């Protein structure tokens, strides 16, 4: 009964390929996020969706395209992969309807290595 | 713009010693404040958070943090370190109000616990 799950856990691919990472949450949350953690462990938000609507779109190359088919899923598709895309990508979810900030629950991460 | 600074990218303590991880934020209005822990090859787990009310907040695993507005700080402490506390610790802020839930993270502090 994993709360936030990501697949795959590891992804090794060649430059120029297109790949997707999937995220699912079973917490009933209405908001989901993608974060990138670089080699120095710095975490930065990339995207956020609330009820399938994009609400955060940080300065991210348009090779990255999030897709939210429903509230429980937020996938990340990456076109034309580059060496600099190598990182750990974390999905997270939270419930925004409460008046006070609710905890973001994080998935286990997907380690992407671009060769 | 908000920012978070964690002083010391690496902290080493002996088992049983006091743990002190420093976090300072920059924000025109005191934000919501969080500490997350990341164990090796895992996602982030919330340790504690400050939203309103009592400035000393207690979290899981014996950790606590104190919000000091005058010092714009939210340092994390634990009276006695255990070997199992060895992990990466992230301080994060989120703006009050707004509607995006965007978390801004510090650069992280690696806690090493020596026997």
């Amino acid at each position: 009964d994993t709360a936030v799950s990501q697949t795959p856990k590891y992804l090794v691919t060649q430059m120029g390929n297109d790949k997707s990472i999937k995220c699912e949450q079973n917490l009933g949350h209405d908001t989901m996020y993608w974060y990138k953690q670089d080699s120095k462990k710095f975490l930065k938000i990339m995207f956020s969706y609330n009820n399938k609507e994009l609400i955060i779109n940080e300065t991210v190359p348009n090779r990255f395209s999030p897709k939210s088919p429903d509230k429980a899923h937020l996938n990340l598709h990456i076109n034309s992969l580059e060496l600099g895309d190598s990182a750990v990508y974390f999905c997270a979810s939270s419930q925004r309807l409460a008046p006070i900030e609710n905890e973001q629950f994080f998935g286990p991460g997907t380690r992407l290595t671009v060769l | 713009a908000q920012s978070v600074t964690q002083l010391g990218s690496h902290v080493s303590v002996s088992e049983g010693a006091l743990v002190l991880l420093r976090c300072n934020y920059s924000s025109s209005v005191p934000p919501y404040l969080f500490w997350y822990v990341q164990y090796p090859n895992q996602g982030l787990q919330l340790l504690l958070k400050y939203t309103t009310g009592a400035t000393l907040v207690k979290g899981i695993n014996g950790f606590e943090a104190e919000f000091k507005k005058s010092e714009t700080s939210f340092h994390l402490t634990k009276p006695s370190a255990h070997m199992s506390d060895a992990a990466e610790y992230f301080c994060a802020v989120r703006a009050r109000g707004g509607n995006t839930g965007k978390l801004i993270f510090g650069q992280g502090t690696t806690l090493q616990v020596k026997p």
Side-chain angles (χ1 to χ4, degrees):
Chain A
D1 55 343
T2 305
V4 182
S5 59
Q6 296 179 226
T7 53
K9 189 170 176 61
Y10 299 96
L11 183 54
V12 181
T13 188
Q14 300 287 331
M15 271 197 309
N17 285 348
D18 303 338
K19 290 293 179 185
S20 292
I21 306 172
K22 296 185 177 182
C23 178
E24 176 181 3
Q25 55 94 4
N26 62 7
L27 298 167
H29 289 165
D30 61 359
T31 306
M32 297 184 72
Y33 311 80
W34 277 111
Y35 290 85
K36 179 180 180 180
Q37 186 176 45
D38 63 22
S39 59
K40 296 183 178 178
K41 297 191 177 180
F42 182 65
L43 269 162
K44 191 171 189 299
I45 193 164
M46 301 172 68
F47 301 104
S48 176
Y49 272 74
N50 172 253
N51 286 320
K52 298 173 35 179
E53 177 186 354
L54 181 66
I55 58 171
I56 296 177
N57 186 353
E58 292 293 291
T59 307
V60 176
N62 56 16
R63 298 182 294 103
F64 290 78
S65 53
K67 285 186 171 52
S68 182
D70 55 57
K71 286 197 310 182
H73 296 84
L74 181 61
N75 304 323
L76 183 65
H77 188 76
I78 315 171
N79 290 324
S80 304
L81 278 155
E82 301 178 356
L83 293 177
D85 298 332
S86 295
V88 181
Y89 292 85
F90 286 100
C91 178
S93 73
S94 70
Q95 183 59 30
R96 286 183 53 215
L97 293 180
I100 296 177
E101 168 63 9
N102 275 299
E103 173 185 354
Q104 290 186 21
F105 289 81
F106 283 76
T110 296
R111 182 174 294 277
L112 171 65
T113 303
V114 182
L115 303 175
Chain B
Q2 292 181 320
S3 65
V4 182
T5 302
Q6 291 181 237
L7 296 176
S9 59
H10 190 101
V11 171
S12 182
V13 301
S14 298
E15 192 173 19
L18 171 71
V19 175
L20 171 60
L21 304 182
R22 299 177 188 274
C23 173
N24 287 87
Y25 66 89
S26 173
S27 177
S28 55
V29 176
Y32 296 125
L33 296 153
F34 305 83
W35 275 100
Y36 281 85
V37 61
Q38 183 181 25
Y39 297 104
N41 299 313
Q42 294 187 28
L44 279 75
Q45 180 182 5
L46 182 69
L47 275 177
L48 48 79
K49 65 181 179 184
Y50 171 76
T51 56
T52 188
T55 56
L56 180 64
V57 293
K58 297 186 184 298
I60 62 172
N61 302 339
F63 284 94
E64 61 182 37
E66 185 171 11
F67 166 59
K68 290 187 177 181
K69 183 179 177 180
S70 61
E71 299 178 7
T72 61
S73 68
F74 191 55
H75 301 330
L76 182 71
T77 60
K78 182 173 180 177
S80 177
H82 294 161
M83 297 296 292
S84 59
D85 294 326
E88 191 78 20
Y89 291 80
F90 292 94
C91 182
V93 301
R94 203 216 86 174
R96 292 181 183 271
N99 61 357
T100 66
K102 176 180 173 181
L103 280 174
I104 297 173
F105 285 89
Q107 68 272 40
T109 298
T110 303
L111 176 64
Q112 180 187 24
V113 182
K114 297 179 290 187

